[in-house]
Amino acid sequence: MEQLQRYLNHSKIDVVFKQNKDDFVVTEIPLYEFSGDGEHLVLKIRKKDLATWDAIEILARYLNCSSREFGYAGLKDKNALTVQSISIHRKYEEQLKSFQHENIKILETTYHNNKIKVGHLKGNKFFIRLKRVGAIEKRKIEEALGQIVTYGIPNYFGFQRFGVEGDNYKKGKDIIDGKLKEKRRNLKQMYINAYQSYLFNSWLSKRIEISKLIDAFEPKEIYEKLNLPLDVVKRMKKQKHPFKLLTGDLLSHYPFGKIFTIEDLEEEALKFYKRDRVPTGLLSGNRVKTSIDLAYEIEKEFEEKTGEDGARRFAWVFPEDVSSNYKEEKNWMEIQFYLPKGSYATEVIAEIIH
């Protein structure tokens, strides 16, 4: 229990993390191996100080073609050194042999029988360097990493999702409420997606707050404040994981699989602790399944008609291949880990340094 309380409440670690090409490296892991044959040329590129769309536009201008001819699996950070695969018709292969750009390097090429589509990635590997890490900070970081390896992390959307000013979600809400018109389809969708993400993050914060209170107090002291039945709070209190499952939660097999409604709270909580499944949260919209029972009583506070398709998102993820290397002479801590697609490395850093 003491370890759990440290996990939930450990103090801020005063170190420096700057998101740049030297201290933040992202390597995309494709969903499948490319066939080596087909009409599409797959370029494995390394880029720095460029968003994915910036790199694609540079390549499109060089080839004198539309940027829409390129395929990509995911958008990678601008303020980083990133490695990812993009595709283009192989008719451009000869032209690309002489391509040179100071911020884009084509590392290797192969072929595939179809264009790479958004979402066609397994996940990403990350390298992150923290600076001004003294002996005390080193110990705290290693302890935090141990907790992350044991329990995983909340799957919040990162700040990148909300735009430079952090207020894209407000524009999304205004569009939904009819207060703002946005004719450009891609921008309209981006703003509404940001609002969906904001609602999800708000729901996740609420559930984590409830979980912390259940850990911190005896059931009789807290159940009325939480507006939950005493017997359910007692059952939640016994769960090993810091994120407490509720009756009616929608779970998903992890790292992929079907979504289903929880039936046996104790059994599913144990399987969650063992990383076999995770709870999911709502991305509000059309054609999406909602939770039921007590879980829905909380979820419905964050449910809105957005006009876009909805989805379920993992509420929790488990970083893999976590390792750290302390460089005492420079006071650097270098951390490496893998995350499934759609999860944010900056949220891992936030969990470490609070």
Side-chain angles (χ1 to χ4, degrees):
M1 180 57 78
E2 287 178 9
Q3 281 184 326
L4 195 58
Q5 287 307 112
R6 282 205 302 273
Y7 170 84
L8 292 167
N9 301 313
H10 77 255
S11 58
K12 185 178 186 296
I13 300 172
D14 190 19
V15 298
V16 173
F17 169 57
K18 290 188 177 176
Q19 203 170 321
N20 57 47
K21 61 181 172 29
D22 298 315
D23 301 330
F24 189 41
V25 181
V26 187
T27 304
E28 182 180 272
I29 308 300
L31 184 61
Y32 42 71
E33 281 190 35
F34 300 112
S35 64
D37 190 33
E39 62 179 24
H40 294 270
L41 180 69
V42 177
L43 311 173
K44 186 176 184 180
I45 64 168
R46 183 176 66 216
K47 64 176 184 63
K48 59 184 179 182
D49 300 326
L50 292 170
T52 298
W53 265 114
D54 298 332
I56 285 174
E57 284 174 4
I58 289 166
L59 284 159
R61 281 198 300 272
Y62 176 80
L63 296 174
N64 195 27
C65 71
S66 168
S67 57
R68 289 194 296 273
E69 290 193 46
F70 284 89
Y72 63 93
L75 298 174
K76 296 289 174 282
D77 297 80
K78 178 180 180 178
N79 301 314
L81 183 71
T82 70
V83 177
Q84 73 179 118
S85 296
I86 61 175
S87 67
I88 186 78
H89 197 278
R90 68 186 295 169
K91 68 184 178 185
Y92 295 108
E93 183 173 12
E94 199 59 37
Q95 226 177 317
L96 282 165
K97 285 179 180 175
S98 54
F99 173 78
Q100 285 188 316
H101 191 279
E102 61 180 354
N103 289 8
I104 304 170
K105 184 174 178 62
I106 298 173
L107 302 176
E108 59 185 64
T109 62
T110 185
Y111 307 102
H112 197 58
N113 43 16
N114 59 267
K115 185 177 181 179
I116 297 175
K117 294 180 180 176
V118 172
H120 281 195
L121 73 158
K122 185 182 177 190
N124 298 285
K125 286 183 180 175
F126 297 92
F127 167 90
I128 283 167
R129 181 182 289 128
L130 303 176
K131 295 181 177 177
R132 295 189 202 165
V133 180
I136 293 171
E137 288 81 15
K138 171 186 178 286
R139 180 180 58 77
K140 286 181 176 180
I141 289 168
E142 288 173 342
E143 185 179 286
L145 285 173
Q147 300 301 320
I148 286 170
V149 168
T150 302
Y151 297 115
I153 63 164
N155 195 27
Y156 284 113
F157 283 98
F159 65 86
Q160 305 96 313
R161 186 77 166 180
F162 303 103
V164 176
E165 302 297 324
D167 63 351
N168 279 358
Y169 75 93
K170 293 179 182 177
K171 294 174 184 174
K173 178 162 175 53
D174 285 346
I175 289 168
I176 292 163
D177 292 344
K179 296 177 183 175
L180 178 68
K181 301 288 185 193
E182 177 54 70
K183 291 180 180 178
R184 291 166 291 183
R185 171 65 188 160
N186 59 334
L187 275 184
K188 179 182 176 182
Q189 186 167 4
M190 182 178 76
Y191 293 146
I192 292 174
N193 289 164
Y195 185 54
Q196 290 173 308
S197 304
Y198 168 78
L199 291 171
F200 173 89
N201 278 7
S202 302
W203 165 85
L204 185 51
S205 291
K206 177 78 171 179
R207 286 292 300 265
I208 288 172
E209 179 191 353
I210 289 169
S211 297
K212 286 181 177 181
L213 288 169
I214 285 172
D215 263 323
F217 294 92
E218 289 304 313
K220 285 184 179 177
E221 298 174 302
I222 201 69
Y223 79 98
E224 287 181 334
K225 178 179 172 61
L226 298 177
N227 197 28
L228 291 169
L230 178 59
D231 67 306
V232 172
V233 175
K234 285 180 178 177
R235 293 165 71 193
M236 293 169 77
K237 179 87 173 175
K238 290 177 182 176
Q239 293 176 24
K240 287 186 175 184
H241 198 279
F243 186 89
K244 307 304 180 188
L245 300 188
L246 259 174
T247 57
D249 264 328
L250 281 175
L251 306 185
S252 172
H253 293 282
Y254 188 87
F256 45 79
K258 288 185 176 180
I259 290 174
F260 60 95
T261 305
I262 199 168
E263 289 185 4
D264 187 318
L265 192 61
E266 283 70 26
E267 183 183 339
E268 299 299 348
L270 185 58
K271 287 179 178 177
F272 170 37
Y273 179 70
K274 291 180 176 179
R275 305 171 173 229
D276 183 67
R277 57 210 51 199
V278 293
T280 67
L282 176 69
L283 290 175
S284 283
N286 305 327
R287 295 184 297 193
V288 62
K289 193 174 181 181
T290 58
S291 59
I292 61 170
D293 199 19
L294 294 173
Y296 182 66
E297 290 303 308
I298 296 165
E299 184 174 283
K300 70 182 182 183
E301 295 175 39
F302 308 95
E303 181 184 20
E304 289 204 30
K305 289 183 170 67
T306 61
E308 296 287 328
D309 282 347
R312 302 296 304 187
R313 173 179 168 86
F314 289 162
W316 211 266
V317 290
F318 299 100
E320 296 173 27
D321 304 326
V322 180
S323 64
S324 63
N325 178 29
Y326 183 56
K327 299 204 167 174
E328 188 175 3
E329 70 282 3
K330 293 184 175 178
N331 282 357
W332 289 355
M333 178 72 94
E334 295 176 344
I335 300 168
Q336 298 189 62
F337 53 90
Y338 164 85
L339 286 175
K341 68 177 182 180
S343 299
Y344 290 78
T346 47
E347 292 306 304
V348 177
I349 299 305
E351 278 299 305
I352 292 169
I353 66 179
H354 275 233

